[in-house]
Amino acid sequence: MTQIVESNQKDVKTTQMTMIQAINDGMRVLLDEDERTIILGEDIGKNGGVFRATEGLQEQFGAERVVDTPLSEAGIIGTSVGLAVNGFKPIAEIQFLGFIYPAYEQIMTHVSRLRMRSMSRFTVPMVIRAPYGAGIRAPEIHSDSTETLFTHMPGIKVVCPSNPYDAKGLLIAAMEDPDPVLVLETMKNYRSMREEVPVGKYTVEIGKGKIVREGTDVTLIAWGAMITVAEKAAQLAEKNGIQCEIIDLRTLYPIDRDIISESVKKTTRAVIIHEAHHTSGLGNDIVSIINDTAFLYLRAPIERVTGFDVPVPFFSLEEHYLPTSARVQEAIEKVVHF
Amino acid sequence: MTQIVESNQKDVKTTQMTMIQAINDGMRVLLDEDERTIILGEDIGKNGGVFRATEGLQEQFGAERVVDTPLSEAGIIGTSVGLAVNGFKPIAEIQFLGFIYPAYEQIMTHVSRLRMRSMSRFTVPMVIRAPYGAGIRAPEIHSDSTETLFTHMPGIKVVCPSNPYDAKGLLIAAMEDPDPVLVLETMKNYRSMREEVPVGKYTVEIGKGKIVREGTDVTLIAWGAMITVAEKAAQLAEKNGIQCEIIDLRTLYPIDRDIISESVKKTTRAVIIHEAHHTSGLGNDIVSIINDTAFLYLRAPIERVTGFDVPVPFFSLEEHYLPTSARVQEAIEKVVHF
Amino acid sequence: MDENYPIKRIIDDHGHFVDSTFENEIDEKLVKELYYHMLRVRTFDRKAINLQRQGRLGTYAPFEGQEAAQVGSALALQPDDWVFPTYRDHGATITFGKSMTRTFLYWNGRVEGCVAPPDRNIFPPAVPIATQLPHAAGAAWAEKLKGTQNASIAYFGDGATSEGDFHEGINFASVFKVPVVFFNQNNGYAISVPIEKQMNSKTVAQKAVAYGIPGVRIDGNDCFAVYFETKQAFNHARAGHGPTLIEAVTWRKGAHTTADDPSKYRPETQGKDIVDPMTRLELFMKNYGYWDEQWIEEVKEKTANEIDLAVEEMEKYPASNVEDVFDHVFAEMPPQLAEQKESYLAHLERR
Amino acid sequence: MDENYPIKRIIDDHGHFVDSTFENEIDEKLVKELYYHMLRVRTFDRKAINLQRQGRLGTYAPFEGQEAAQVGSALALQPDDWVFPTYRDHGATITFGKSMTRTFLYWNGRVEGCVAPPDRNIFPPAVPIATQLPHAAGAAWAEKLKGTQNASIAYFGDGATSEGDFHEGINFASVFKVPVVFFNQNNGYAISVPIEKQMNSKTVAQKAVAYGIPGVRIDGNDCFAVYFETKQAFNHARAGHGPTLIEAVTWRKGAHTTADDPSKYRPETQGKDIVDPMTRLELFMKNYGYWDEQWIEEVKEKTANEIDLAVEEMEKYPASNVEDVFDHVFAEMPPQLAEQKESYLAHLERR
Ligand SMILES: Cc1ncc(C[n+]2csc(CCOP(=O)(O)OP(=O)(O)O)c2C)c(N)n1
Ligand SMILES: Cc1ncc(C[n+]2csc(CCOP(=O)(O)OP(=O)(O)O)c2C)c(N)n1
Ligand SMILES: [Mg+2]
Ligand SMILES: [Mg+2]
């Protein structure tokens, strides 16, 4: 795999971390450097979060800063709005993205609109963290991947790291952002890989995708857990002499249009992979971006390999819901042999 | 305007109705023919609804069947689920689409998924009616047009009539549908036109769009209030010798792909118009449909004229948010002269 | 249960003391302050209705009948407190320091109308019902963490008690014991829905039991009861004892908004027996020697002038700026939004 | 406030009567029925934990300690009543008639596990917390409109009381006076969050005051208290008097789920003084001459066999059908979905 390493820091001390450790470390940095940072969520205190994202943080920073809340997502987000407007920087953990819906009104009508409504007098610099996605044999509703509900919501940014380095860097960038940011964390990658992650503070720029594999024949566009699927498909395709370029989008709003457009202009073919449902999934936005910016370059209809237009099934069937490298490979063949 | 009239009924008695009257009439028919029909909502009883959609219904059918509920959208939708599963056919009125968000969890996790979850043992044959859209000088939040949040939700259908005939016919079809249907009603058209509407029962098929103007040069795809905008733009374009075909999509999920695909194959150019935000708006889905089904026919990148990626502004500025025939006309020129 | 929540009053319908607890704290200054502000916001309210009828204002939500509740509670605030109003609470926000001009602008669909003076923490009116209660809890929590004596007040109606956010907001506030006053104006109706269809409980105040916090039911048309009970709730909050739920029983004399026709759903006679809060204060002033004809004339004139000036300012206000559609979504505009703005402005140029 | 809500008990920790109100209704049949079902579901529960440890079941939510609450309430139901459980209430649903095989399947990620027998109105377990309360109100409302004597029961935990849907569901039920029993199992924790961080009220029962409905606080480990109080609440409901909120104070002996480690957040010793509901019933049976060694052995054997058979059935169950991913979204598949299904099945064929 042609991992293109970013290094805006030289001689940085790094250490091996999984994604969940990197997220934990990122929050530690944020709590440490700014006493206005406050974390709210269900089971994030003594229990350290159901995925251990907040492990040890309450012990280190106290129960006033790492706060177990009542079981109430609208309460978590709604009080975070009040905290954020009044000088604090909340990180609100939603236990699973599928449980963010009770807070949808707060996010849709306040988190994202308060700046507009107050002509920037009141702003909501907060981060919402939510684990998302299928494939870990979780119960129903725990596996949703509904990023569209937030990319279609002006006033909030959405990021979705696929690896430890980006997870920590994007989380810190999200906290430095003067506006609300939703951080979607693919549960599938929480512990699936380990890599060198800088100790201390660094950021990954919001709004910038990354070429994680260079290629000439077809562009694969993915994020989160689907990067691994794309990489496997690219390896399979390579055996057939097809060179795939892979874009890890990393930020879902605002999308890095340039990286998509430039890559597709080069490869002239694109396959988009996401685990969200097909209809009104973000893949459609990417099709539009290509339509808008690389229309004359395209040699085949864009293919999308996505979750189906069905509720994410119970876990005995979830592997049939999720895009697989085999499905992606077929899509690659299809665009190449159009 | 080349209105293509549907007439599956011959010699039907008709009468002049506005869209709001047609909706009222549709509900009267439904209450009358099936005693399991029950209407729930805020201010729908004596008050007859804030738009008079339910005017006279409580008087005629009683307060047990046309029920003023507490101010609680999750309560309205959640109890409707219980009523629907247990033999009733609820029509739940959400006062404005912008107030559906507190019920989002109920719709997302139950209305749309209960059939799947129970392997069709429990089904939710209900209708949710919601006025939507900007342009009537309403207060904040009253003007949202967020159909994407529901087209990206497997298990529910979404329809959006633009005129009195379709409004009544789709409402009745929605009630006859064995699955939940969200009926989006453009407030802008509630009283803006009057037409002959059949007295009594008839349906407009869910899932079928309609060519409301035939043309050869470019396909305009729109729905709800944007049909009027498209028609004006088509008239302007005609002066420049451009013949627009207009598709009134009518159903937003499942979309009538064939009508789009056939029209675009004929005209080779498309402009999509919707008042929802650009990013993750349904226009992207339509771009994808064209990519998937008419790729080789397309002579210019598809243009989209949409609401901007901003919260719908306060009403003194809302006209700047909404697509206008002038913007559509420019888009038409752009695709024609690409 | 409601017998546990008798309506607290300080003066009766005829303006006579019925409770002397606060008698010593009622002096000319307070009486005149209450009168002045109630008169001021009532005059504003009636002017707004007139302007709406003349087509000079958009749909407007009047608060006539609720002046004692709004003014009495607003006067109990300290300057650094936080206020979370609804669309009907401009009687309170104007009293607390929001500009009348901006308030008029709000009702003309101008976002500028949401912006309070920099030295007043007044949130924009919450349109989605009950959503402001968690905000009030959060802002109050921040004050507690900072160790100040500041507190929040959340205004909301009887209808709002049915929403989940009402429940979740008060629950958070009670669990974290934050300094907030949940100030309910039970004005009898949520648009057309009367309170007995809104809830099965006889009072709003008793809902406090669910959160283990004090619930107080007051005569919301008795400006003294409102003022002193709100003040007590604030003292309780500032002393670190957490939130209070106040139910101010009042009456919406007019329509829900100027677009509403209450004759459709409530009998003409309903509420006619309720003594207007201004009348009650006037009777009190006459009974206890505070009535000062000359001062009242001065105040009326001053207020009328102030409001005329505000109308003038509102009408002369610079036209809406189309750039505002784009400029307050993010601190820094993402490229695609910048492009949308640019191309739209260019489009406008071309026309 | 909690002094208004003393915990009602019929037998004490040693299995002795402390309240004789229902003494005449307690006979051998009832005692044996309670014992049988509690033993049965406990055996099921322990088996499930074992299976999970062996990798033969997915993550599992045990209910040990809550058998009296679940069985006692389920036995108070009539066959045509409606049951709205959570993921932890299979003690109740199995008692009411849900198949064990299907319950095992549920915990193996099989949607078939949601389906109750056609003659039992048991909803699939609600995973999003508190969302089932409005459903219970709606189903009960339908029964009321139909004029039947049927009612609903909604099961939910202490944590669920913090969600808006708890509030909105009970409010609707109280306003429309529908026949529903809101059955809260206060088991001390919501995952790791103890009740005192969940709410500021001392009890769940007192939250009934907010809705003007009866609130009852019972010892959830006393199967008789649960049975008779639930029955009373149902009588109240069937008689047209509307909903009741029952708080059954109980204790989650084990982990939240098999993926949870309670030693991280609660002291080993906590809850050790609580007498197990089975032990309490056994003591009672011994005290009052219901103890029948032979019958108990028979029941144990019968139950063990039944459960072994259910495990066997579960493991022999036909493999998941990929078509089910697509087939239960709509009554009739929209064209785009049919195409997705077709092309995916074709893809599987090719592999
Ligand atoms: C979530 C939501 N649902 C519906 C509405 C529409 N609506 C506006 S005001 C109102 C009634 C509010 O009643 P109440 O809380 O008693 O306040 P009042 O208007 O009497 O001051 C309704 C239903 C809304 N603004 N928000
Ligand atoms: C809306 C929602 N938020 C979060 C969760 C995750 N979650 C599952 S169980 C649980 C705790 C529930 O506690 P309680 O209501 O007391 O029931 P118990 O598990 O103790 O039976 C949480 C937070 C969820 N299922 N739904
Ligand atoms: Mg009211
Ligand atoms: Mg619990």
Side-chain angles (χ1 to χ4, degrees), chain A residues 41-48 50 52 55-56 58 63 68-74 95 98-99 102 136-142 278-279 306-311 313-322 324-330, chain D residues 57-59 106-112 114 125 127-129 159-164 190-194 197-199 259-261 264-267 320-326 328-330 336-337 340-341 343-344 346-348 350-351:
Chain A
E42 296 157 10
D43 306 294
I44 66 165
K46 274 192 196 161
N47 197 38
V50 295
R52 307 283 169 256
E55 183 114 289
Q58 190 181 68
D68 274 327
T69 66
L71 209 177
S72 146
E73 289 76 14
Q95 205 161 73
F99 302 134
I136 63 154
R137 297 174 70 78
E140 213 209 334
I141 315 290
H142 291 67
H278 198 76
T279 298
T306 70
F308 298 115
D309 282 342
V310 305
F314 280 52
F315 71 71
S316 68
L317 285 169
E318 67 182 335
E319 294 302 338
H320 287 293
Y321 172 82
L322 283 173
T324 58
S325 50
R327 279 170 65 199
V328 175
Q329 198 199 354
E330 286 194 358
Chain D
L57 215 58
T59 301
Y106 177 80
W107 294 105
N108 253 335
R110 297 290 299 266
V111 66
E112 295 89 340
C114 283
V127 168
I129 299 293
T161 63
S162 296
E163 289 282 8
I191 309 187
S192 71
V193 179
K197 289 192 179 173
Q198 197 66 245
M199 61 193 78
D260 171 58
D261 173 10
K264 298 206 67 146
Y265 55 78
R266 72 183 189 194
S320 288
N321 180 358
V322 56
E323 303 202 17
D324 285 338
V325 168
F326 303 91
H328 298 286
V329 185
F330 292 103
Q336 30 273 78
L337 185 54
Q340 288 176 17
K341 176 181 173 185
S343 94
Y344 183 60
H347 166 81
L348 289 180
R350 281 194 295 277
R351 300 194 47 81

Side-chain angles (χ1 to χ4, degrees), chain B residues 315-334:
Chain B
F315 72 71
S316 68
L317 285 168
E318 68 183 336
E319 294 302 339
H320 288 292
Y321 172 83
L322 284 172
T324 57
S325 50
R327 280 171 64 200
V328 175
Q329 198 199 355
E330 285 195 357
I332 293 169
E333 298 285 343
K334 202 166 163 191

Side-chain angles (χ1 to χ4, degrees), chain B residues 238-313:
Chain B
E238 194 167 27
K239 292 190 187 144
N240 296 334
I242 303 168
Q243 298 301 336
C244 295
E245 179 144 305
I246 301 179
I247 297 174
D248 182 347
L249 211 49
R250 301 199 296 190
T251 290
L252 307 186
Y253 186 89
I255 282 189
D256 186 344
R257 291 182 306 175
D258 295 344
I259 204 170
I260 295 171
S261 157
E262 275 159 36
S263 175
V264 175
K265 281 181 185 163
K266 181 176 79 177
T267 63
T268 72
R269 296 176 176 90
V271 175
I272 302 157
I273 306 138
H274 62 64
E275 63 177 286
H277 313 299
H278 198 76
T279 297
S280 301
L282 205 63
N284 297 286
D285 289 78
I286 298 169
V287 170
S288 285
I289 288 170
I290 297 170
N291 167 80
D292 294 348
T293 64
F295 180 75
L296 293 176
Y297 295 81
L298 214 53
R299 282 204 246 183
I302 300 152
E303 281 292 311
R304 285 174 297 146
V305 182
T306 70
F308 299 114
D309 283 343
V310 305
V312 183

Side-chain angles (χ1 to χ4, degrees), chain D residues 78-101:
Chain D
Q78 293 296 317
D80 287 339
D81 288 336
W82 286 79
V83 178
F84 296 82
T86 76
Y87 49 85
R88 201 188 301 291
D89 299 310
H90 32 300
T93 54
I94 288 173
T95 301
F96 188 55
K98 176 117 187 234
S99 109
M100 286 186 171
T101 305

